[in-house]
Amino acid sequence: MLVCFGDSFTYGFNFNEEERVDGVYPSILGRKMGQDVSNLALPGAGNWRTARRLLSTPLSKDDTVVISWTTPDRFELGVSESHYSPPIADGRVGDLVEVSGKLITKRFFEQLTDRTSDPAARLVNETIYKEFNNRLWFEEIFKVMYASCVYNLEQSGCKWCMFNAWSVQSDGEYHKNYLHSGKTMSEVIGAKGGGYWSKPQHEQVAEVLMQELNKLYG
């Protein structure tokens, strides 16, 4: 199984559902590798969610894992059942939560303030990104999540790699499977303008990952 984690870039937020299923790099890479695909990415997801979901996903030596890191200053919080209510059909992106069994989580990102109808979420967002804004702290927390993910991946015996989608994380010494740690994948494939990847660009990303995985594991 090819298991992929990430945000809107890996999810394919800019495609309609039919295009998204077949056209994003996890699907393309899965076809290249001859593996079934589990794309666990979500729009607005942060590195906190990626680390949490990875550590709760059973992995074996037969799996391949690809992590696409997003900007380090996204985070998530648990939401109580008394606060949560299912989003209405035309609800805003910032109102989305993730329900996994009894665990309810809400994704927070800098642009959420204008994308939510939830006054409590807006207050938290404004506090974190204005009054308490400290990117260095988020970068330090990233190192904790990174280390826990690498440990879990190595213990599982699976094949794996990780990369920055559109935002570079903190400086530091990283595992060789962290591809181009000082660059974004958008830079690696020569994507201009900083927007979502097109179908041809997803093809490029899949090819880069295929080549790198072959170098790492033969």
Side-chain angles (χ1 to χ4, degrees), residues 3 16 21 24 60 63 75 81 93 114 119 122 133 136-137 154 156 167 171 177 182 195 200 212:
V3 187
N16 63 42
V21 170
V24 292
S60 75
D63 295 317
F75 65 100
E81 291 186 18
V93 173
D114 298 324
R122 190 179 302 114
N133 190 26
L136 180 60
W137 180 82
E154 291 288 271
S156 74
S167 178
D171 293 333
N177 292 37
E212 294 291 350

Side-chain angles (χ1 to χ4, degrees), residues 150-161:
V150 170
Y151 178 81
N152 191 69
L153 291 164
E154 291 288 271
Q155 289 294 111
S156 74
C158 71
K159 298 176 182 178
W160 65 276
C161 68

Side-chain angles (χ1 to χ4, degrees), residues 50-165:
T50 289
R52 175 176 62 80
R53 287 301 306 271
L54 173 68
L55 269 61
S56 64
T57 300
L59 298 171
S60 75
K61 61 181 179 60
D62 297 321
D63 295 317
T64 302
V65 175
V66 175
I67 293 177
S68 171
W69 297 118
T70 185
T71 181
D73 59 358
R74 290 182 176 182
F75 65 100
E76 66 172 11
L77 293 177
V79 179
S80 67
E81 291 186 18
S82 61
H83 181 77
Y84 166 69
S85 61
I88 58 176
D90 60 347
R92 303 182 191 180
V93 173
D95 291 332
L96 298 180
V97 299
E98 182 178 7
V99 181
S100 179
K102 294 184 177 180
L103 179 64
I104 305 172
T105 53
K106 185 171 184 61
R107 305 184 289 279
F108 287 82
F109 47 93
E110 191 166 10
Q111 299 83 3
L112 176 140
T113 304
D114 298 324
R115 299 184 185 182
T116 181
S117 59
D118 184 344
R122 190 179 302 114
L123 177 60
V124 170
N125 213 61
E126 289 179 335
T127 301
I128 294 297
Y129 292 109
K130 291 182 180 179
E131 185 69 20
F132 288 173
N133 190 26
N134 188 333
R135 184 179 173 90
L136 180 60
W137 180 82
F138 282 110
E139 292 178 353
E140 290 298 301
I141 293 299
F142 167 76
K143 294 176 182 178
V144 177
M145 292 181 288
Y146 156 81
S148 66
C149 286
V150 170
Y151 178 81
N152 191 69
L153 291 164
E154 291 288 271
Q155 289 294 111
S156 74
C158 71
K159 298 176 182 178
W160 65 276
C161 68
M162 55 180 62
F163 64 90
N164 303 312

Side-chain angles (χ1 to χ4, degrees), residues 20-41:
R20 190 185 75 78
V21 170
D22 293 326
V24 292
Y25 76 82
S27 300
I28 300 168
L29 182 59
R31 291 194 291 271
K32 288 177 178 288
M33 299 175 65
Q35 290 189 339
D36 292 332
V37 178
S38 177
N39 187 351
L40 298 179

Side-chain angles (χ1 to χ4, degrees), residues 181-194:
S181 61
K183 294 183 178 181
T184 67
M185 184 59 75
S186 292
E187 291 176 299
V188 172
I189 65 172
K192 306 295 184 181

